[in-house]
Amino acid sequence: MSTVRPFIRISWERSLASRVDTDHPDPTYVESAPESVLLRAARPVLASLSDELANEPACLILTDSNGVVLQRGGGDSHLLKALDAVHLAPGFCYAEQDVGTNGIGTALEIGAPILVNGNEHYTGNLRQFSCAGALINHPVTGALLGVIDISTKAENSNSLLLSFAKLAARRIQERILEEANELDSALLGGYYAACRHSGGPVIAVGEKVFMMNALAQQHFDATDQAALLDQTREAVGMQDPCTFLADLPSGVIARMAYQPTFAGTALAGGIIQIKEQRTAGHVPRPRGPALPGMAGASAVWRHVTQELLETVAKREWVVLQGESGAGTHTLVTAVHQHSGSNRQLSVLDVETAGADLVLRARAELEAGTDLVIRHAHALDETQLDELTELFQEIQDASVAQDPWVALTTRAGAVDDKLDLHLLHFFPRTVLVPPLRHHLEDVPALVRLLLNRAGAPELILSKPAMNQLMRLPWSGNVTHLKQVMSAIVRVRRSGVVEVEDLPPECRATTRRNLTRMETLERDAVIDALADHGNDKSAAAEALGMSRATIYRKIRDYGIVT
């Protein structure tokens, strides 16, 4: 043990703590990775270097930042067969906790390049190899993207392996920088061309770029500009041209024509040209009424509220579509209450009403009650047939006079059966936006939810509120309500700072986390909180290296 290099010995201890099988570890297999900056930049580099290693006893291996193998190149048939036998192949994870000490996982753990020679591997079936791993970091942001590893048979090992791995990593980073410059140049060129030729307001949007020309700033005040920015969020990443309308707070309707811009086959971003659709005698639209139990003043929310108010005023039957938790039920009941109708409103939920749903619906309508049927996408075929018959009777004026009916459905859940049976009775569909499309309403919603939870004296600091407004809110307003309830359970007055938010709110990663990743993220956040943001102490408490905790903080977007 005394002859083993210190960082190898420490790696063995980590591998032991992770209970890695010392003879035949079983690396996790992960589904194929999506296209990424790393893959695009690495392909030409790997192709060039692999040609130099063709039929040589050395293989180039590219992994992501979790140690999952993305690509393999070069190597003779005997070496490739040996690598396949230990699953060092695309799709398999070579993180240290999966297979123990190795050039990929250990480089990730220590945050530095490393050569692991045959007997330095933790597991027996890897000791036939030597592997050199070098980290690939984004040349602009510094984010860890992955590892380039060179593996060979142990008897062929020499110090040049690590030098070659470092060279490959540098070439990939240079290619990433070139591509970033190409993307930025393509987007900037498209933006300048649009500004010259359109003679009107132009916006350019990219992954991390937002540009608005002077004409856009002159035509639209700050409130309208914020609404335009909100509308452009959904255009980021779109690869096809499209046109959409934005109903701005000033009452102007903006026609926004999006055209994607490419650098080769890579999407650089998109150019949006804006034209106003202002009718003669235009009068700015009022801000809209305050609805009972509702909060929100964004252009998006006011638009959907106004649209629903108009349908209720006209007694038009309506379908509300929205994601779970977006507030479709709350909105429709609030609008009905505000409308001043002297009719009662009954709400029937398909998921809880049971087999007598249609009988209850008939009874309510015959009693002169307006009706909302929630979760209409869950109706079975029998219920669809019976409701079709009931609605036809109503349309024929044989059941009740002028009833009003609304259906709520989950976004994207309307199928052919529902469309065929019922939707022709409903002349309008209102799309209720998810919370991520009107994040400027988060402060008002927070105040409403805290008041409802019995904490009117509890406030959120500006940094804490800003943090909430950076989150994707996959569960929408219901999710926000759960977070506010969690805060109120431990505090009912005073000021909530960022560190007082639940763990899930102190990270800003946009990807969906697995259950295991969620637990890991929360454990890191809690350890940092317990040790006053001392990363070394938190890492020691969690049994991970300092390099690993820094990587986890970066990967999960944890605010420290």
Side-chain angles (χ1 to χ4, degrees):
M1 181 70 77
S2 60
T3 61
V4 177
R5 291 183 289 172
F7 46 83
I8 294 294
R9 177 178 53 79
I10 295 171
S11 173
W12 286 358
E13 292 173 355
R14 287 194 300 266
S15 303
L16 177 64
S18 296
R19 299 183 179 180
V20 175
D21 188 317
T22 56
D23 294 319
H24 299 286
D26 186 21
T28 304
Y29 182 78
V30 179
E31 292 297 326
S32 58
E35 185 69 7
S36 65
V37 170
L38 174 62
L39 274 171
R40 286 198 303 271
R43 280 196 191 101
V45 176
L46 288 181
S48 173
L49 295 177
S50 295
D51 287 343
E52 300 177 29
L53 295 177
N55 299 316
E56 295 292 333
C59 183
L60 277 166
I61 297 163
L62 176 73
T63 82
D64 66 12
S65 59
N66 295 313
V68 176
V69 178
L70 303 176
Q71 273 194 315
R72 213 171 61 175
D76 59 29
S77 59
H78 296 292
L79 176 61
L80 294 177
K81 185 176 181 180
L83 293 175
D84 285 339
V86 296
H87 301 305
L88 186 43
F92 288 96
C93 182
Y94 255 66
E96 215 178 56
Q97 61 264 33
D98 274 49
V99 297
T101 306
N102 72 94
I104 296 167
T106 304
L108 289 170
E109 285 294 328
I110 67 175
I114 186 173
L115 171 63
V116 178
N117 286 309
N119 287 331
E120 291 180 325
H121 287 86
Y122 181 74
T123 63
N125 65 346
L126 294 184
R127 290 174 186 159
Q128 60 182 305
F129 304 103
S130 286
C131 46
L135 301 180
I136 303 169
N137 295 97
H138 195 288
V140 177
T141 67
L144 176 63
L145 300 178
V147 172
I148 188 73
D149 170 85
I150 301 179
S151 291
T152 186
K153 287 288 189 164
E155 58 266 26
N156 299 322
S157 179
N158 64 68
S159 59
L160 290 177
L161 284 177
L162 189 55
S163 298
F164 196 77
K166 291 178 182 177
L167 172 63
R170 281 198 299 274
R171 288 192 183 178
I172 292 171
Q173 289 173 172
E174 288 166 1
R175 182 68 194 110
I176 291 171
L177 188 57
E178 289 170 9
E179 183 185 79
N181 291 335
E182 289 170 7
L183 296 176
D184 287 346
S185 296
L187 183 60
L188 193 59
Y191 172 68
Y192 284 146
C195 290
R196 284 195 305 270
H197 296 121
S198 77
V202 175
I203 292 174
V205 291
E207 190 68 33
K208 296 181 179 178
V209 176
F210 179 84
M211 294 181 287
M212 178 184 290
N213 69 351
L215 282 171
Q217 297 176 47
Q218 293 165 10
H219 275 68
F220 304 106
D221 62 20
T223 305
D224 278 1
Q225 288 179 33
L228 288 170
L229 175 59
D230 186 61
Q231 289 287 330
T232 62
R233 286 195 183 106
E234 288 304 298
V236 175
M238 291 177 60
Q239 303 212 15
D240 297 309
C242 68
T243 300
F244 48 97
L245 300 178
D247 194 354
L248 305 182
S250 62
V252 170
I253 297 175
R255 182 178 181 274
M256 305 175 71
Y258 171 84
Q259 185 69 36
T261 301
F262 294 89
T265 58
L267 179 68
I271 307 300
I272 298 174
Q273 298 187 39
I274 306 171
K275 291 185 178 179
E276 296 182 23
Q277 294 188 342
R278 189 191 299 260
T279 58
H282 161 77
V283 177
R285 179 172 292 177
R287 292 289 180 180
L291 297 177
M294 303 294 296
S298 66
V300 173
W301 191 250
R302 287 202 310 276
H303 175 79
V304 71
T305 300
Q306 186 62 36
E307 190 175 5
L308 191 55
L309 281 166
E310 290 170 2
T311 67
V312 175
K314 295 176 183 178
R315 307 293 292 172
E316 278 186 336
W317 290 16
V318 63
V319 176
L320 287 88
Q321 284 188 10
E323 295 179 5
S324 178
T328 53
H329 171 237
T330 305
L331 177 61
V332 72
T333 53
V335 166
H336 187 272
Q337 182 179 344
H338 175 80
S339 69
S341 171
N342 57 4
R343 302 174 72 114
Q344 296 294 314
L345 181 68
S346 177
V347 179
L348 298 178
D349 192 325
V350 175
E351 296 180 348
T352 59
D356 63 345
L357 169 76
V358 181
L359 288 175
R360 292 171 61 186
R362 180 182 290 275
E364 296 290 354
L365 292 170
E366 288 179 344
T369 302
D370 288 341
L371 180 66
V372 174
I373 298 179
R374 296 185 68 192
H375 304 126
H377 52 271
L379 289 163
D380 61 34
E381 289 198 26
T382 300
Q383 291 171 323
L384 285 168
D385 288 336
E386 292 175 350
L387 276 177
T388 301
E389 183 179 344
L390 173 59
F391 290 163
Q392 189 62 56
E393 291 177 20
I394 294 172
Q395 198 171 70
D396 295 339
S398 60
V399 173
Q401 293 298 318
D402 194 28
W404 182 76
V405 180
L407 305 181
T408 74
T409 67
R410 191 171 62 243
V414 177
D415 59 17
D416 292 340
K417 291 184 297 182
L418 184 60
D419 198 350
L420 180 66
H421 284 73
L422 293 184
L423 293 192
H424 65 279
F425 291 109
F426 296 81
R428 187 181 296 198
T429 295
V430 174
L431 302 177
V432 180
L435 182 53
R436 63 183 177 275
H437 289 183
H438 57 111
L439 289 170
E440 59 267 50
D441 288 331
V442 166
L445 286 166
V446 165
R447 184 68 271 151
L448 175 70
L449 294 170
L450 287 177
N451 290 346
R452 281 185 182 174
E457 297 180 2
L458 186 63
I459 61 173
L460 269 67
S461 69
K462 187 173 181 179
M465 190 67 76
N466 289 340
Q467 176 64 12
L468 293 185
M469 293 177 71
R470 284 195 288 265
L471 301 177
W473 297 110
S474 57
N476 295 298
V477 179
T478 298
H479 188 185
L480 180 62
K481 179 181 178 181
Q482 292 166 353
V483 167
M484 292 302 103
S485 297
I487 291 172
V488 170
R489 279 196 292 270
V490 297
R491 187 171 203 169
R492 282 158 292 282
S493 63
V495 179
V496 176
E497 301 291 351
V498 172
E499 56 269 24
D500 301 319
L501 297 174
E504 64 175 300
C505 297
R506 283 177 267 159
T508 55
T509 179
R510 291 284 175 173
R511 64 185 176 89
N512 291 325
L513 302 181
T514 65
R515 175 62 178 160
M516 187 62 69
E517 287 175 325
T518 300
L519 293 172
E520 182 180 59
R521 177 203 62 193
D522 292 354
V524 170
I525 290 172
D526 289 340
L528 288 167
D530 291 342
H531 295 87
N533 275 337
D534 185 328
K535 297 173 182 63
S536 296
E540 184 177 353
L542 292 168
M544 63 176 60
S545 70
R546 195 163 177 266
T548 298
I549 199 168
Y550 273 101
R551 177 160 56 86
K552 299 297 183 186
I553 290 169
R554 186 168 54 243
D555 288 348
Y556 293 133
I558 297 171
V559 179
T560 60

